[in-house]
Amino acid sequence: MKRITSIFLTISIMSVFLLSGCTTSSQDEYVCEVTMGKVLSMDVSKVSDEDSLMACGNTVEGLYLFDKDQNVIGGMAESYEVSEDGLTYIFHLRDAKWDNSDPVTAEDFVFGWRRLLQERGPYASLLTDTAPVKNAQAIYYGDGNGNYMDISELGVYADDEKTFRVELEMPVPYFNSIVGFPSLAPLNEDFFNSLEEGMYGTSPDTIMCNGPFVLESYMPGTSLVRFKKNKLYWNKDAVKVPGVKLLTVSSVDVAVEAFENNFCDIVEISGSHIEEAKKDDELKDCILSCESCGQGFLTCNVEGDLKNTNLRLAISNAIDRESIVTNVLNDNAEPSYSSCCKNLYFNPVTGEDFTKEPEAYSEYCSYDLKKAGNYFELAKKELKKDQIEIELTIKSDAQGVKLGAAIKEQLEQNLDGLVINLNAVSFAERLQKEIERDYEMILGNWNPDYPDPKTFMDMYISDSATNRSGFSNKEFDDLMEKCYETDYVYDEEKRFYALQDADMLLVKNAAKIPLYVSKKCFLVNPDVSGAARPPVTLKSFIEFEKVVSEE
């Protein structure tokens, strides 16, 4: 597949790849994947971006894992027991080692979980809200008067070296789906305390690994991260490649050209690059499309004009999702009308998908210009305005700009008197604006952390730590409380239908404006297998296999 298109490309590829230590893929036993996002940190207590989480998840291992079919399987935990009331979990750890030969112990989990709260990391909410561990909220949030419970009171205990006990505030039906998340990995306290403050996870020498791979080379924000097989990993025979490289480049164009010229094995593509690859005689056989649960949507900060429900509903019904999927995303997605996404959660009795057919949501969320116009006229009357201006914050990458332009064009064309001002910012800036609620309307994407609707819906509970829109609805809050704290905790089928009612409330109030559920599309070296991405969980390098040329 080697075809250098110009001398300028040759220089670009050589400088980016060869100087980064990358050889031609056919002669390299390592699998090389190109990404657009850098691995910003290897500190599991602090990471939040997908690339960093994927890197961490392949070097540290939590209690449970997902296999390629999304089944929960044992990681550091060989078995577990749960009390009849669902409040106490006892995990029995397998004989596993850190990469320095120290045993992985229950104390490592106690320290790791405590530190996640102490660092107030992005995923501390796993312990406070998603799966509330005993006293986690009192430690993290305090009592409202500036008093905080001591971290030693967190409901995690080392009953002995290989027995880790967790006490919860309430039953959590999906608890075992969460405990494998990288942020809940173990952490060796003695090793951590031996480092200078702020140095953990900044280099291969400042991190201990118990996962299938160890860090071979890394600096925070560097363009190249190298992983090598962990020879002390408990399941090392399942690891089929000696190493993996993650390389960040400036654009998809550079990544695709590198793939064409045999400098890498895996490249994620989207938009026009998919269409171009389909028309290419060589590339079309390298395309791998994977189902995903990543949802693209608009979030409205319910202050100012967007506090008006009719305005939000007008926007939701004035967007042609089919057109966006076809013309912007090049059919690498499906239109979305629910607050959740399909293929995530299923009725435990009937097996039906949680999300319904589009017609079920059409009263409040569809492409219906008459309905959109009626909502908009009501909004203008209630707001006493003939013209409404809204700033839409988008990512400044190519796809973000293209999506933003399409949404602006549709809304301004379909709603007479609406003006959309685009504000293109970097991913980091967009994330900060969302956290600080410094936006009017924002284009976002959410990939579920675990296979339960709460991963999408808890950000709309009034007092949730992840509520970044200000949306509040007592009926919705009450339903979520019944599903996760009281009436339906022990009845999965009733919980399923109650969650569908809660979903419809979000749609009815346009708490979020769903747009599409994306697929992931890759160019993959035919000599590499195991590149498929799971729809919910992070990619595991353990599935990679590669045939290397002897030439």
Side-chain angles (χ1 to χ4, degrees):
M1 197 182 350
K2 192 169 185 178
R3 48 181 186 186
I4 299 293
T5 56
S6 73
I7 186 64
F8 301 105
L9 173 60
T10 305
I11 295 171
S12 173
I13 296 296
M14 291 286 286
S15 62
V16 174
F17 286 82
L18 293 181
L19 294 180
S20 295
C22 294
T23 59
T24 55
S25 178
S26 61
Q27 298 173 333
D28 189 351
E29 293 183 325
Y30 279 37
V31 171
C32 180
E33 178 165 348
V34 172
T35 70
M36 297 298 107
K38 293 182 178 181
V39 177
L40 302 176
S41 174
M42 288 297 296
D43 186 341
V44 292
S45 296
K46 298 180 179 180
V47 298
S48 61
D49 65 286
E50 185 176 357
D51 291 300
S52 298
L53 283 167
M54 181 173 67
C56 289
N58 281 283
T59 55
V60 292
E61 185 169 286
L63 294 165
Y64 276 83
L65 308 170
F66 286 92
D67 65 15
K68 63 182 180 179
D69 298 316
Q70 299 293 278
N71 299 309
V72 176
I73 58 174
M76 289 294 101
E78 203 163 30
S79 63
Y80 78 100
E81 302 152 15
V82 60
S83 61
E84 287 188 11
D85 61 7
L87 297 179
T88 302
Y89 282 73
I90 297 175
F91 297 96
H92 301 284
L93 306 185
R94 66 175 75 251
D95 290 328
K97 295 180 180 181
W98 293 101
D99 59 326
N100 71 345
S101 296
D102 287 350
V104 177
T105 69
E107 285 288 357
D108 296 330
F109 279 96
V110 170
F111 181 70
W113 289 31
R114 285 178 175 177
R115 182 171 177 263
L116 179 62
L117 276 189
Q118 287 177 306
E119 290 291 335
R120 308 184 76 80
Y123 280 97
S125 60
L126 289 173
L127 303 180
T128 58
D129 294 80
T130 306
V133 173
K134 183 178 179 181
N135 298 328
Q137 293 186 357
I139 294 167
Y140 190 85
Y141 299 118
D143 62 2
N145 297 313
N147 301 309
Y148 296 85
M149 188 175 286
D150 189 78
I151 191 64
S152 62
E153 298 298 318
L154 184 65
V156 293
Y157 312 92
D159 290 344
D160 58 44
E161 186 177 88
K162 294 295 182 182
T163 307
F164 177 55
R165 175 164 50 95
V166 180
E167 294 183 358
L168 302 174
E169 295 281 7
M170 63 191 71
V172 179
Y174 47 83
F175 188 59
N176 277 354
S177 299
I178 291 176
V179 295
F181 199 75
S183 301
L184 297 179
L187 179 58
N188 185 285
E189 185 173 8
D190 288 340
F191 176 80
F192 179 84
N193 290 334
S194 71
L195 303 172
E196 293 183 23
E197 186 175 351
M199 292 304 294
Y200 177 76
T202 58
S203 69
D205 294 331
T206 58
I207 184 172
M208 284 178 69
C209 304
N210 70 320
F213 292 86
V214 299
L215 274 182
E216 187 172 29
S217 66
Y218 171 72
M219 290 176 55
T222 188
S223 295
L224 176 68
V225 185
R226 296 174 64 97
F227 306 83
K228 64 180 179 181
K229 180 177 179 177
N230 182 359
K231 296 180 179 179
L232 296 180
Y233 179 54
W234 70 272
N235 195 21
K236 63 182 179 182
D237 291 343
V239 182
K240 304 299 184 183
V241 294
V244 174
K245 293 180 287 190
L246 293 181
L247 183 64
T248 304
V249 298
S250 58
S251 71
V252 179
D253 289 333
V254 172
V256 171
E257 289 169 344
F259 182 85
E260 290 178 316
N261 290 284
N262 204 25
F263 278 95
C264 61
D265 298 301
I266 304 170
V267 172
E268 184 172 358
I269 56 175
S270 61
S272 61
H273 292 95
I274 298 175
E275 287 305 302
E276 292 168 6
K278 288 179 178 178
K279 297 174 184 176
D280 188 290
D281 289 338
E282 293 184 4
L283 293 183
K284 66 182 181 182
D285 295 327
C286 299
I287 296 174
L288 172 66
S289 183
C290 307
E291 293 294 329
S292 170
C293 288
Q295 186 186 50
F297 55 92
L298 295 173
T299 297
C300 299
N301 188 345
V302 291
E303 293 181 351
D305 290 345
L306 284 166
K307 188 174 183 179
N308 186 282
T309 302
N310 284 317
L311 177 57
R312 301 196 302 270
L313 286 168
I315 292 170
S316 184
N317 285 275
I319 296 175
D320 185 350
R321 293 161 177 80
E322 293 278 1
S323 174
I324 287 175
V325 165
T326 301
N327 300 317
V328 179
L329 301 174
N330 294 92
D331 294 319
N332 197 43
E334 294 182 8
S336 180
Y337 302 92
S338 164
S339 70
C340 195
C341 67
K342 69 178 187 179
N343 297 322
L344 176 80
Y345 182 60
F346 303 89
N347 186 303
V349 176
T350 67
E352 68 178 291
D353 198 294
F354 177 78
T355 59
K356 302 176 182 180
E357 293 300 314
E359 294 74 22
Y361 307 99
S362 61
E363 185 175 354
Y364 307 107
C365 182
S366 63
Y367 181 50
D368 187 325
L369 296 186
K370 181 178 179 180
K371 191 179 298 180
N374 290 338
Y375 281 130
F376 193 55
E377 289 304 314
L378 284 172
K380 288 193 291 185
K381 183 177 180 180
E382 291 165 353
L383 294 170
K384 298 179 180 179
K385 292 184 176 183
D386 293 324
Q387 180 172 298
I388 297 173
E389 286 193 33
I390 297 174
E391 182 181 80
L392 172 58
T393 299
I394 59 175
K395 283 200 301 180
S396 57
D397 61 17
Q399 181 161 298
V401 170
K402 196 173 181 181
L403 275 168
I407 292 168
K408 171 182 169 69
E409 180 181 12
Q410 287 190 16
L411 291 179
E412 291 183 342
Q413 178 178 313
N414 295 335
L415 297 175
D416 185 28
L418 181 62
V419 176
I420 301 295
N421 300 313
L422 297 179
N423 179 26
V425 298
S426 68
F427 171 76
E429 290 175 297
R430 194 206 67 82
L431 182 61
Q432 194 61 32
K433 280 182 172 292
E434 187 176 26
I435 291 172
E436 297 175 355
R437 286 186 63 191
D438 179 24
Y439 69 92
E440 289 185 274
M441 188 162 67
I442 197 164
L443 177 61
N445 187 280
W446 185 259
N447 292 291
D449 299 320
Y450 50 94
D452 188 274
K454 192 179 182 185
T455 188
F456 283 98
M457 297 167 70
D458 71 349
M459 62 187 76
Y460 301 99
I461 299 173
S462 297
D463 60 356
S464 170
T466 58
N467 187 330
R468 295 168 181 172
S469 67
F471 176 80
S472 180
N473 180 285
K474 187 177 185 305
E475 187 178 357
F476 174 76
D477 291 345
D478 290 345
L479 272 174
M480 293 298 283
E481 182 177 349
K482 287 180 180 179
C483 289
Y484 294 101
E485 298 182 34
T486 56
D487 299 32
Y488 308 135
V489 169
Y490 300 105
D491 191 326
E492 286 193 53
E493 189 173 21
K494 285 184 178 179
R495 189 167 74 93
F496 177 89
Y497 292 119
L499 283 170
Q500 284 190 325
D501 291 342
D503 173 41
M504 192 61 72
L505 275 174
L506 293 180
V507 175
K508 181 179 179 180
N509 288 276
K512 70 188 289 188
I513 298 172
L515 300 175
Y516 61 87
V517 174
S518 61
K519 298 178 183 178
K520 286 188 175 290
C521 191
F522 301 86
L523 294 176
V524 180
N525 179 352
D527 293 330
V528 172
S529 59
R533 268 26 178 196
V536 179
T537 53
L538 297 165
K539 173 61 186 173
S540 173
F541 300 158
I542 201 171
E543 295 165 13
F544 283 146
E545 292 191 50
K546 184 175 183 180
V547 177
V548 181
S549 171
E550 296 181 358
E551 296 180 6

